[in-house]
């Protein structure tokens, strides 16, 4: 079991605003909860199956947790989180993603079958990458501030809720089955 161990000399946890812990084969990050002032955190390329230790990091602005063993991206609401990346994990749901200032969310290459993102909780989300999952519909992705939506390499056969994406400028659907048959009717939504 690989846990995060910090030098004994490291007593002042308030001094850390950036932590780069990628590629350390970590399985336990519970000690991170003491570093409440961290703003930028990279936990990519580890062996993490939970991010529950991050609950006390309420000042976090950027979180990168790519290439781990996560099955959920759910975290307690983080009031300042602006960018989050969870690509290449085993995430199956979008439940629990509710950060009011989140602008960019990357969920590429997971196992998500259904999206359920709330526009009231994700008021600022403008870029959503959810390529390479198992989505069959765009239902649950109707976010008013969304400008770029990347849905390539899913199994989408139904376009739904996109009429709620009033700021949408880019819709990427390459590599989906039967989606192109519905593009003509999609044009009428706007």
């Amino acid at each position: 079991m690989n846990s995060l161990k910090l030098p004994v000399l490291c007593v002042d946890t308030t001094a850390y605003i950036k932590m780069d812990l990628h590629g350390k084969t970590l399985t336990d990050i519970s000690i991170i909860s003491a570093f409440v002032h961290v703003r930028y955190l990279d936990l990519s390329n580890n062996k993490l199956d939970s991010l529950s230790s991050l609950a006390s990091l309420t000042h976090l602005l950027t979180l990168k947790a790519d290439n781990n063993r996560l099955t959920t991206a759910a975290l307690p609401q983080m009031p300042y989180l602006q960018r989050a990346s969870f690509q290449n994990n085993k995430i199956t749901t979008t439940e629990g993603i509710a950060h009011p200032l989140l602008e960019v969310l990357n969920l590429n290459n997971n196992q998500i079958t259904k999206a359920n993102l709330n526009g009231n909780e994700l008021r600022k989300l403008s870029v959503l990458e959810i390529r390479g999952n198992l989505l069959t519909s765009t239902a649950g992705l109707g976010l008013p501030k969304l400008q770029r939506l990347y849905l390539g390499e899913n199994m989408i056969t139904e376009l739904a809720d996109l009429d709620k994406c009033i700021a949408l400028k880019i819709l990427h659907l390459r590599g989906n089955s039967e989606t192109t048959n519905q593009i003509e009717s999609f044009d009428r939504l706007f």
Side-chain angles (χ1 to χ4, degrees):
M1 180 184 224
N2 250 357
S3 295
L4 177 61
K5 293 184 175 67
L6 297 173
V8 176
L9 299 174
C10 175
V11 194
D12 183 10
T13 60
T14 61
Y16 292 95
I17 60 167
K18 182 177 182 179
M19 282 188 159
D20 185 349
L21 301 170
H22 79 277
K24 307 287 185 197
T25 63
L26 299 174
T27 56
D28 178 18
I29 55 169
S30 56
I31 195 167
I32 288 179
S33 63
F35 296 85
V36 295
H37 297 289
V38 169
R39 304 287 193 276
Y40 308 94
L41 181 58
D42 186 349
L43 295 168
S44 298
N45 301 310
N46 283 293
K47 297 179 179 181
L48 301 174
D49 56 17
S50 173
L51 297 177
S52 60
S53 300
L54 303 184
S56 64
L57 301 180
T58 57
H59 297 286
L60 201 59
L61 298 173
T62 300
L63 173 61
K64 190 171 180 185
D66 302 338
N67 301 306
N68 278 287
R69 298 175 178 169
L70 302 173
T71 56
T72 182
L75 293 166
Q77 191 177 79
M78 297 196 159
Y80 305 108
L81 188 64
Q82 296 170 10
R83 301 178 77 83
S85 183
F86 302 97
Q87 70 179 358
N88 298 317
N89 279 286
K90 298 176 182 180
I91 295 169
T92 58
T93 180
T94 60
E95 295 290 327
I97 301 174
H99 313 291
L101 296 183
L102 190 64
E103 295 175 8
V104 178
L105 176 60
N106 186 334
L107 294 166
N108 288 340
N109 303 313
N110 279 287
Q111 300 167 8
I112 300 168
T113 56
K114 183 180 176 187
N116 188 16
L117 298 173
N118 185 322
N120 293 326
E121 296 171 340
L122 296 167
R123 295 185 295 269
K124 299 253 184 184
L125 192 65
S126 63
V127 179
L128 175 58
E129 296 191 43
I130 194 163
R131 296 179 185 103
N133 280 278
L134 305 171
L135 294 173
T136 57
S137 172
T138 59
L141 296 174
L143 303 167
K145 299 283 185 175
L146 202 57
Q147 294 179 16
R148 295 183 291 180
L149 178 56
Y150 299 96
L151 292 163
E153 305 301 324
N154 277 286
M155 299 182 294
I156 295 174
T157 57
E158 176 192 23
L159 298 178
D161 290 347
L162 294 179
D163 56 327
K164 297 173 186 169
C165 300
I166 57 176
L168 195 63
K169 294 177 182 173
I170 296 174
L171 175 62
H172 179 266
L173 290 166
R174 189 175 322 148
N176 281 285
S177 55
E178 301 296 319
T179 304
T180 53
N181 294 340
Q182 293 185 4
I183 295 298
E184 289 177 33
S185 61
F186 175 70
D187 287 338
R188 289 185 290 241
L189 295 175
F190 295 98

